[in-house]
Amino acid sequence: MRDILTDLRARCADGVPFALATVVAVHGSAPRDPGAVMAVDAAGTVLGSVSGGCVEGDVYEVAREVLAGAGPRVVSYGISDDEAFGTGLTCGGTIEILVRAHASEDERAELAALLDLIAADRPVAEATVLSGEAETGARLVVRPADAGPTTGTLGNEGLDAAVTDDARGLLAQGLTGIQRYGAHGQRRMQEVAVFVRTYAPPPRMLVFGAIDHAAATARIGSFLGYRVTVCDARPAFATRERFPTADEVVRAWPHTYLGSTEVDARTVICVLTHDPKFDVPLLVAALCTPAAYIGVMGSRRTHQDRLARLRAAGVDEAHLARLASPVGLDLGARTPEETAVSIAAEIIQHRWGGTGRPLGDLTGAIHRDR
């Protein structure tokens, strides 16, 4: 949604009707995750993608039908690899897509309110009925309990209450998926399928050390969707001019800043200073956080010296094992930009459990189970 957020908000503001197709389930190999969207407006303009090109043509036709008044629909695409080129889904997996219209003023106003929250980086979840003993397309917008009221309805109080509770749990974990309930929200029943799409604020990338490699890493971090902070204690280096793509540039001792800012299980930390007076206190602090990834730049000799210093500071082996050091995958990188790509590749590998090996050397599904 975020990749076409500006365009969707503009269409809502201008009163342009459109249909929105959303991937709600993925089975096996597929190019886009649940939550990926494609919009088709009244003029036939297409925004976004639900399959990287495999089934967009058919989804476009469904969207036009829905926009013309056919009502919301859930469509499924899935075939075996040897049949793939005959029907378009060449990856061989299965995807399910919800297509619904935002044609009326009320429908666009409801979506606009959600888009405003997403644009402001406010945590919010959208729950939509897919099938069963409730109206397909019925919608509930859920915010954290202390952040505002729930709006919309899925049909009855019991279902709304159960989905609200589960949506808040999924939102806290940054998860998206289908939940199933009884007609009135009963647990362990299957009558109603509800797709819950969560919109948590972007994950953070904390880059320490205002060097050329940091500028390149900040750029690729922004490209990957992270909210990027660059931190360095040296005022001459930590400047907005040197890091125009970063969301913020902080002038502070790294360990002091880290101790004062929010770090969660989605945060990635890149330590590019390779100076013991900065690295050691910073890493002692970083290893006490739930950060998803802690990468540290330096040669192998620097790495061994750093480990000795950290052990002397009381860091145990289990914590030291969390360090990705020397940082990055072995791509043969030379320039700051190439090094940034190797760091980004390692972050992606760590997040999804990839091997880091060429796909041509492997067999089996390319896209791992979500």
Side-chain angles (χ1 to χ4, degrees):
M1 182 78 82
R2 292 184 189 276
D3 55 346
I4 59 171
L5 185 61
T6 300
D7 291 314
L8 290 182
R9 295 180 77 195
R11 280 160 175 73
C12 288
D14 294 341
V16 177
F18 59 90
L20 199 62
T22 305
V23 177
V24 296
V26 169
H27 309 285
S29 180
R32 300 298 303 272
D33 284 333
V37 298
M38 183 180 92
V40 179
D41 67 18
T45 302
V46 177
L47 304 168
S49 171
V50 289
S51 73
C54 296
V55 300
E56 264 73 2
D58 191 76
V59 174
Y60 175 86
E61 297 300 332
V62 174
R64 298 284 283 178
E65 293 171 7
V66 169
L67 195 54
R73 292 171 54 188
V74 177
V75 291
S76 179
Y77 302 91
I79 49 176
S80 64
D81 286 324
D82 57 351
E83 299 170 328
F85 288 96
T87 52
L89 193 60
T90 56
C91 61
T94 300
I95 57 175
E96 296 176 40
I97 299 173
L98 168 68
V99 186
R100 58 170 298 182
H102 298 276
S104 71
E105 184 176 346
D106 287 345
E107 288 170 335
R108 290 192 299 273
E110 289 177 0
L111 181 62
L114 172 65
L115 298 179
D116 288 346
L117 291 172
I118 297 170
D121 285 338
R122 303 291 179 83
V124 63
E126 180 187 32
T128 308
V129 172
L130 300 180
S131 63
E133 298 181 23
E135 181 183 354
T136 299
R139 181 169 164 271
L140 189 70
V141 175
V142 180
R143 301 177 66 183
D146 60 353
T150 294
T151 58
T153 182
L154 302 182
N156 61 74
E157 291 184 2
L159 185 57
D160 288 350
V163 172
T164 295
D165 185 50
D166 288 349
R168 284 174 175 159
L170 292 171
L171 184 58
Q173 301 175 66
L175 300 177
T176 286
I178 295 176
Q179 307 293 303
R180 299 185 185 276
Y181 306 89
H184 294 274
Q186 301 96 324
R187 308 289 182 176
R188 298 184 297 278
M189 299 184 73
Q190 304 288 313
E191 285 84 351
V192 180
V194 178
F195 176 65
V196 181
R197 172 67 167 107
T198 65
Y199 300 92
R204 301 189 69 192
M205 173 182 280
L206 306 180
V207 181
F208 294 98
I211 62 175
D212 289 347
H213 290 81
T217 301
R219 288 196 297 273
I220 202 165
S222 296
F223 176 76
L224 291 176
Y226 287 94
R227 179 174 177 80
V228 179
T229 298
V230 176
C231 176
D232 196 295
R234 301 166 296 176
F237 292 90
T239 65
R240 171 54 63 188
E241 291 74 19
R242 299 189 70 229
F243 300 97
T245 65
D247 294 282
E248 60 179 348
V249 179
V250 176
R251 298 173 185 173
W253 278 81
H255 71 283
T256 301
Y257 172 72
L258 185 62
S260 65
T261 194
E262 180 180 354
V263 176
D264 63 22
R266 300 186 302 152
T267 302
V268 299
I269 297 174
C270 300
V271 180
L272 310 182
T273 50
H274 50 81
D275 183 332
K277 69 175 177 290
F278 293 115
D279 287 1
V280 173
L282 171 59
L283 291 173
V284 169
L287 289 168
C288 292
T289 72
Y293 170 91
I294 304 172
V296 196
M297 178 172 280
S299 67
R300 297 193 187 281
R301 179 182 298 177
T302 299
H303 171 63
Q304 292 303 321
D305 176 71
R306 183 186 295 127
L307 291 179
R309 292 173 184 270
L310 289 170
R311 291 186 182 104
V315 179
D316 62 32
E317 297 302 316
H319 283 81
L320 292 177
R322 294 180 60 197
L323 297 178
S325 177
V327 70
L329 296 186
D330 178 18
L331 304 182
R334 292 292 186 270
T335 66
E337 289 73 20
E338 290 175 345
T339 300
V341 170
S342 78
I343 293 171
E346 186 174 50
I347 290 171
I348 295 168
Q349 180 214 13
H350 187 83
R351 180 180 182 185
W352 296 113
T355 65
R357 296 174 55 197
L359 288 171
D361 291 347
L362 304 174
T363 59
I366 292 175
H367 301 284
R368 294 168 178 265
D369 291 338
R370 271 68 173 174

